[in-house]
Amino acid sequence: MAEASKQAQAAPRGVAVRCRAATAVSGVLHSGRRLEEALDYQGLGRSDRALLRELATGTVRWAIRLRTVLDDLLDRPLPRRETEVEALLLVGLYQLAHTNIPPYAAVSATVGALSKSKAWARRLINGVLRRFGREPGQRLAAADARSVGVANAHPEWLVIALEAAYPDAWQGVLDANNQAPPLTLRVVGDRAAYLAELAAAGIEAQAHPLVETAVNLKSFRPVASLPGFPEGRASVQDAAAQLAAPLMETRSGERVLDACTAPGGKLAHLLSQTPDLHVTALDPDSDRLDRTRETLERTGLAPEALLRGDAARPQTWWDGVPFDRILIDAPCSGSGVIRRHPDIKHLRRPEDVGPMEDRQQALLEGLWPILRPGGKLLYVTCSVLPEENGERVAALQQAHPEARAEPLPQQWGRPAGPGCQILPGEAGTDGFYYARLRKETP
Ligand SMILES: C[S@@+](CC[C@H](N)C(=O)[O-])C[C@H]1O[C@@H](n2cnc3c(N)ncnc32)[C@H](O)[C@@H]1O
């Protein structure tokens, strides 16, 4: 997007933000990049960063619907190479359909993001956005009539999968996936005292009603400036993710394996929850392990060993002493965290799920033998697809009759195979799956 970037350097701030938003949107839609990686905040002040984040995230969240609206507005399809123009059109439509930005400001800042030498595209964007602005309701309704996927801005394969899995709740899942998520913190120590600290700093926040370590902030803010964040008294973690450590039921002195540890959110929770745990933490991804080290450094916590390795192949890293507790926070489709990562709608393909299931099964099968008799294994994903969740755990149980599912607290989620499925939006959380297995003594 070189032309737009040059334009952005010389342009007023609002224009530069539209330009960067379009670059990020195009990165996701056309180059398969993760939104977090595609966003460039460099040199922007706080309010511009917030606007960039809102425009790019919102456009990616609604892109499937907005693309249909756009197709209807165009007299003929855009040439395929005009990815920059398409992204700007989508950013423009997002502003008109989903924000309170005055339409004239949205249109002029979006048109301004293109270089003057691209006069045809500036005319096109101007014309399309103004046409949409004359009858936004009718334009959106016409697109919504096409399909459930378009109306809810989800890929059709995922809609079909959710309808099959949750005949009574799929629409709620789609709605929750399209909400902006809260910024949730996990607080170490006295939550009421921390809430008072936030209030004294003028930061509005609420205790989570069901998760006793969780606090929801009223609005987004740079986390590094939050009280206690630099020294690890607060960490960013969704409330449903904060259930993992308590469900591990760890006791001092136990040997614990955190099999898929990076970036270390649940590891830090485990270490702060129980003193004197002997934790081995493992991940194959060195960049993500670096992020785990940062988490540990900030929180002042340390596992006994932090290893780079494949948890499914213990023969390559295990010292031969069985574990009392094993946490498998498995790699998955991320279909439970779409509200936080709307790029998943575009990046994940139905054909990704089968290989993911194989990896999950390999982790369960590889690690079950190194759990001691009487020990417990907690299987977690941030997926809502039964084939990554209950079906995987049930398959392990079929091969290992000594794997007994333990009941989980009933205030959470719905029974799903041997475990429990929390759907996105339930009690304001992300979607997570939990199953806890105890190894019966022979
Ligand atoms: C859902 S994330 C874990 C999140 C982490 N537990 C936390 O709370 O911050 C899944 C992790 O599994 C790791 N992973 C993928 N394949 C693995 C394998 N074969 N063995 C161990 N970890 C694996 C990924 O690199 C990724 O970091």
Side-chain angles (χ1 to χ4, degrees):
M1 201 158 287
E3 261 199 283
S5 299
K6 259 187 267 152
Q7 177 72 2
Q9 280 166 18
R13 283 167 48 220
V15 169
V17 171
R18 269 65 176 190
C19 187
R20 289 198 200 193
T23 303
V25 169
S26 179
V28 174
L29 301 185
H30 300 290
S31 309
R33 296 185 72 197
R34 292 179 50 233
L35 180 57
E36 256 170 54
E37 289 164 8
L39 273 167
D40 173 13
Y41 291 110
Q42 223 184 345
L44 295 182
R46 189 169 153 187
S47 66
D48 281 350
R49 289 170 72 93
L51 179 61
L52 170 57
R53 196 187 130 79
E54 153 72 13
L55 295 186
T57 309
T59 305
V60 168
R61 179 172 291 128
W62 289 101
I64 291 173
R65 186 186 195 213
L66 295 175
R67 268 182 155 166
T68 304
V69 172
L70 177 58
D71 286 348
D72 290 348
L73 285 162
L74 290 170
D75 296 330
R76 56 179 167 278
L78 278 173
R80 281 172 70 87
R81 63 178 183 284
E82 296 297 345
T83 53
E84 170 189 6
V85 176
E86 193 213 16
L88 272 173
L89 281 161
L90 295 175
V91 170
L93 289 173
Y94 171 72
Q95 294 168 79
L96 298 179
H98 292 279
T99 73
N100 295 326
I101 298 170
Y104 67 88
V107 174
S108 79
T110 307
V111 171
L114 268 178
S115 132
K116 290 215 164 73
S117 65
K118 219 159 180 175
W120 69 268
R122 289 169 68 104
R123 272 197 307 276
L124 177 80
I125 294 179
N126 194 36
V128 163
L129 295 185
R130 286 184 194 286
R131 208 175 315 154
F132 176 78
R134 279 197 287 276
E135 43 182 21
Q138 289 97 310
R139 294 280 176 187
L140 288 168
D144 292 352
R146 299 295 167 77
S147 73
V148 178
V150 168
N152 293 279
H154 276 66
E156 295 297 337
W157 72 270
L158 188 54
V159 173
I160 291 167
L162 292 171
E163 279 177 344
Y166 308 106
D168 61 328
W170 59 270
Q171 181 65 58
V173 173
L174 299 180
D175 292 343
N177 288 348
N178 286 333
Q179 299 297 314
L183 176 55
T184 305
L185 303 178
R186 176 174 57 78
V187 177
V188 179
D190 184 336
R191 180 171 67 170
Y194 187 73
L195 280 165
E197 235 180 293
L198 288 176
I203 300 169
E204 281 189 78
Q206 276 184 331
H208 191 279
L210 291 180
V211 181
E212 58 190 32
T213 47
V215 160
N216 282 336
L217 298 196
K218 185 99 185 281
S219 55
F220 253 84
R221 52 182 52 245
V223 287
S225 64
L226 290 171
F229 187 86
E231 64 269 27
R233 283 191 293 121
S235 296
V236 175
Q237 194 172 41
D238 184 74
Q242 297 184 35
L243 297 173
L247 287 175
M248 289 283 283
E249 296 185 335
T250 45
R251 288 175 300 222
S252 290
E254 284 184 332
R255 274 176 63 81
V256 178
L257 173 67
D258 181 10
C260 305
T261 198
K266 297 182 189 71
L267 172 64
H269 193 182
L270 274 171
L271 290 167
S272 65
Q273 173 182 270
T274 314
D276 300 328
L277 278 188
H278 302 286
V279 181
T280 299
L282 199 73
D283 207 282
D285 184 322
S286 33
D287 290 342
R288 289 174 67 88
L289 277 175
D290 285 344
R291 287 176 57 202
T292 309
R293 285 186 196 98
E294 284 165 23
T295 306
L296 292 168
E297 204 167 308
R298 181 177 61 82
T299 51
L301 299 162
E304 206 159 81
L306 180 63
L307 306 175
R308 180 161 174 244
D310 176 356
R313 298 172 59 233
Q315 66 276 20
T316 57
W317 51 266
W318 184 46
D319 65 5
V321 184
F323 290 98
D324 301 297
R325 298 281 184 273
I326 295 179
L327 171 62
I328 305 181
D329 189 10
C332 69
S333 61
S335 50
V337 290
I338 286 176
R339 61 183 193 156
R340 288 194 195 280
H341 303 287
D343 50 357
I344 288 173
K345 291 175 174 180
H346 308 281
L347 303 181
R348 205 68 74 232
R349 308 265 168 226
E351 57 272 22
D352 298 338
V353 179
M356 207 62 98
E357 291 169 37
D358 295 342
R359 288 167 77 188
Q360 292 152 351
Q361 204 66 52
L363 286 164
L364 281 161
E365 292 289 350
L367 293 172
W368 184 251
I370 68 172
L371 180 68
R372 76 159 165 80
K376 296 182 187 193
L377 181 151
L378 186 69
Y379 179 78
V380 186
T381 72
C382 56
S383 167
V384 291
L385 301 177
E387 52 270 48
E388 297 188 89
N389 295 339
E391 291 179 22
R392 299 284 57 78
V393 182
L396 178 85
Q397 285 185 294
Q398 208 155 31
H400 301 275
E402 77 283 10
R404 288 288 162 84
E406 291 203 324
L408 298 174
Q410 291 197 339
Q411 69 267 39
W412 283 106
R414 49 177 62 211
C420 142
Q421 179 72 58
I422 300 167
L423 293 178
E426 265 190 57
T429 70
D430 290 344
F432 266 80
Y433 181 79
Y434 283 101
R436 190 172 60 201
L437 299 173
R438 187 184 135 83
K439 194 183 236 180
E440 296 288 292
T441 36

